[in-house]
Structures are given as C-alpha cells and as structure tokens.
Amino acid sequence: MIEQLILVRHAETEHNVAGIVQGWSDSALSERGRRQTRALASRVAGLEPNAIFSSPLERAMTMARAIAEATGLDIVALDDLREINLGQWEGQSYLDVRRADPESVRRWRDDPDWACPEGESHNDVLERMKRAFAAAAATTRPVIVTHGTAIRVGATFLLNAPVLTSRHLAQDNASINLFIGRGERMILKLWNDTSHCEEG
C-alpha cells in the first residue's frame, strides 16, 4: 500500500519554450531544463522514495535517470505513463492548432471521451494512469516521473474528482506533487511545487 506518492513532471524542453505540441513526440531539454533536472533530483532524494517509475519518453527518462543517480534506485519504465497522445497536432504550435481546428480543440477540451485527431481522449489517459498507479502500489514510497496532462488527469483519479477537473490544475515543468496515503484515500499535501528550482 502506498504511504507516500511523488508525482514529478519532466523539466523544460525546447518545445515547451517554443509552444510546440509534444504529446508522444520528444524534444531536447533546454538549458534551464538541465538545471531544473539537477535541482529536482536532489529534492526528490530528500523525500526518500523507494522506487522509481517513469514514462519511457526521453524527456521523462532524463529526469528519472537523474533521480536514480541521486537515490541509487532502479527505474521501471511504464508505457502507461506516457503523455497524452495528441496525434495530428504534435509538432505544431498550440496557437496554430487552435486557429486551424477550433472545433476539434473545443470538443477535445470539453468532452472527456472525445479523442483529438489520431490521438487520445482525457479518459484514455485516465485509464492508463489507473493502471500505472496500480503498478506503483506494489511499493510504499514511489516516485512517478511523467508529463503535465498525465499528472493532472492522474490527480483527478487520486482525488476522486471528475477527469475534466484536470483543466483547472496548473502543472509546471520540474514540479513536485506529493500525496500521502490515508487508508483507502490519497491526501494531497503538495501541488505544483517548483521551489527547488534555481529560477523558481
């Protein structure tokens, strides 16, 4: 049973800076992202996790490897921890996507069952995150390294909230989110914390 669950978002990438849709595509870390990775790994080590689970996408694995080096723990990669698949939108700027296909964006945003073109819906991600949490529940103090939408959607499951509540939750690069197990419930103790980062 999980006593402490740490959800970590990967550090800043070049595509994050440029406002490019990533999804299952990848992008190199920015210089700031490299600094964030070092700072976050040190902070997580101080929280004494006993397992690391990570999305296999490179921007998440870079963070997971830094945490592994700081803690001496092995990494378990889970496909279920990938970011939401954004299909045809990947590689484009968010602004261009909203301008070119506002109706699809609106439906994807407002209907948890509606998948973006050739991609996933919010409920698709929710089902994946449920499986990932079940895998992590074999340990007591896991750290899970994943992505912004995956974390926000996963948090709605942990808090027994509607999945579209995720739209109202901020999730910055290199943030730490801390949940504490209380019997059958998970209690949110820390959300979207980036105080460990050099630039806040």
Side-chain angles (χ1 to χ4, degrees):
M1 183 178 294
I2 293 177
E3 299 171 0
Q4 172 185 275
L5 171 62
I6 308 166
L7 296 180
V8 167
R9 186 183 177 196
H10 64 80
E12 182 185 86
T13 69
E14 297 289 356
H15 281 182
N16 289 144
V17 175
I20 302 296
V21 179
Q22 292 181 113
W24 283 14
S25 304
D26 242 324
S27 172
L29 294 186
S30 66
E31 176 56 38
R32 183 184 186 204
R34 290 188 284 273
R35 293 196 302 272
Q36 290 174 333
T37 298
R38 293 189 293 269
L40 187 145
S42 177
R43 173 84 181 281
V44 169
L47 294 172
E48 300 182 345
N50 61 8
I52 304 172
F53 298 87
S54 180
S55 158
L57 296 174
E58 182 60 23
R59 60 190 186 273
M61 286 297 291
T62 298
M63 180 67 79
R65 286 192 290 267
I67 295 171
E69 183 176 347
T71 60
L73 298 170
D74 294 328
I75 301 168
V76 177
L78 298 176
D79 282 343
D80 282 332
L81 290 173
R82 290 185 184 213
E83 179 59 298
I84 188 168
N85 182 349
L86 292 171
Q88 293 179 4
W89 297 344
E90 293 184 14
Q92 303 181 63
S93 75
Y94 285 101
L95 182 59
D96 287 345
V97 169
R98 288 193 293 267
R99 285 174 173 166
D101 197 359
E103 179 59 18
S104 290
V105 172
R106 183 196 65 77
R107 291 189 66 188
W108 174 78
R109 183 190 64 204
D110 295 341
D111 182 348
D113 290 315
W114 199 85
C116 63
E118 298 183 15
E120 290 184 300
S121 70
H122 287 82
N123 274 336
D124 291 333
V125 179
L126 179 63
E127 292 307 309
R128 291 200 279 107
M129 291 303 290
K130 288 179 182 179
R131 293 194 297 266
F133 290 141
T139 64
T140 55
R141 298 174 65 86
V143 55
I144 292 177
V145 184
T146 182
H147 308 268
T149 299
I151 289 173
R152 292 186 291 108
V153 168
T156 67
F157 171 68
L158 295 174
L159 298 174
N160 196 28
V163 68
L164 289 184
T165 303
S166 61
R167 289 180 49 207
H168 304 284
L169 302 176
Q171 191 58 204
D172 296 324
N173 289 115
S175 57
I176 288 177
N177 310 277
L178 182 64
F179 293 80
I180 303 298
R182 291 286 185 268
E184 297 299 314
R185 297 180 299 143
M186 296 299 291
I187 305 298
L188 178 59
K189 187 171 182 179
L190 189 66
W191 180 258
N192 197 38
D193 182 56
T194 58
S195 60
H196 48 277
C197 295
E198 296 176 0
E199 298 177 32

